[in-house]
Amino acid sequence: MGRAKWLMIVMLAALAGCTSARQPSAPPDIYVMRHLNTPAGVPDPDLTGDGQRAAVDLVAWFRTRSKPAVIYVSSTKRAQQTAAPLAQSLGITPKIYNPSDTPGLVAAVAGETGNVLVVGHSNTVPDIIGLLGGQRPAALVHEDFGDIWLLSGSPRETERFKIAD
């Protein structure tokens, strides 16, 4: 083999090593849920007994799924109480956000590198999911408790689950 051919092969091999396509890592999973059961018409209520039991069920629900590295909760008691058992079991201090600043929340969540759980409200969950690239669900009513949406992959696929199936 001539010197020019040999040099060309070495250069091509070196170039191939430099330009090898690295697989981009998958985006983190994002879970979005509404706070759990509360009485209707009470400003900033605590969770009901059913809501407290469902918050404990959330810990069990995550045993078979990719766990969040970060938890965002609104500044309300009901959102914080929803995430408290899971946060404690994972050793996470939830990040508190302003429930009237959905764009700010979405920007913060989009900047996370690990899996995320967001606990929102009936009037914010559909917008949060849509702004994060998921399929926006229909409007939620007061009785809609216990649903959790998983946004995964790129483009974002959206799956809806019940915490206590």
Side-chain angles (χ1 to χ4, degrees), residues 6-110:
W6 181 83
L7 186 56
M8 180 71 122
I9 290 171
V10 169
M11 286 176 33
L12 286 173
L15 185 59
C18 291
T19 61
S20 65
R22 291 189 317 159
Q23 294 296 322
S25 60
D29 289 339
I30 301 173
Y31 299 91
V32 181
M33 66 180 295
R34 179 192 181 198
H35 63 79
L36 293 168
N37 309 54
T38 57
V42 178
D44 201 15
D46 290 308
L47 295 181
T48 63
D50 286 342
Q52 292 169 8
R53 284 185 289 282
V56 172
D57 290 344
L58 186 61
V59 176
W61 190 85
F62 270 107
R63 285 191 185 120
T64 60
R65 291 171 174 79
S66 59
K67 292 168 184 47
V70 179
I71 298 174
Y72 283 87
V73 295
S74 79
S75 55
T76 64
K77 290 187 299 188
R78 57 196 181 272
Q80 293 172 35
Q81 291 170 3
T82 294
L86 179 64
Q88 182 178 17
S89 75
L90 297 175
I92 296 172
T93 300
K95 296 182 180 184
I96 297 176
Y97 70 91
N98 179 343
S100 65
D101 184 14
T102 299
L105 167 66
V106 168
V109 169

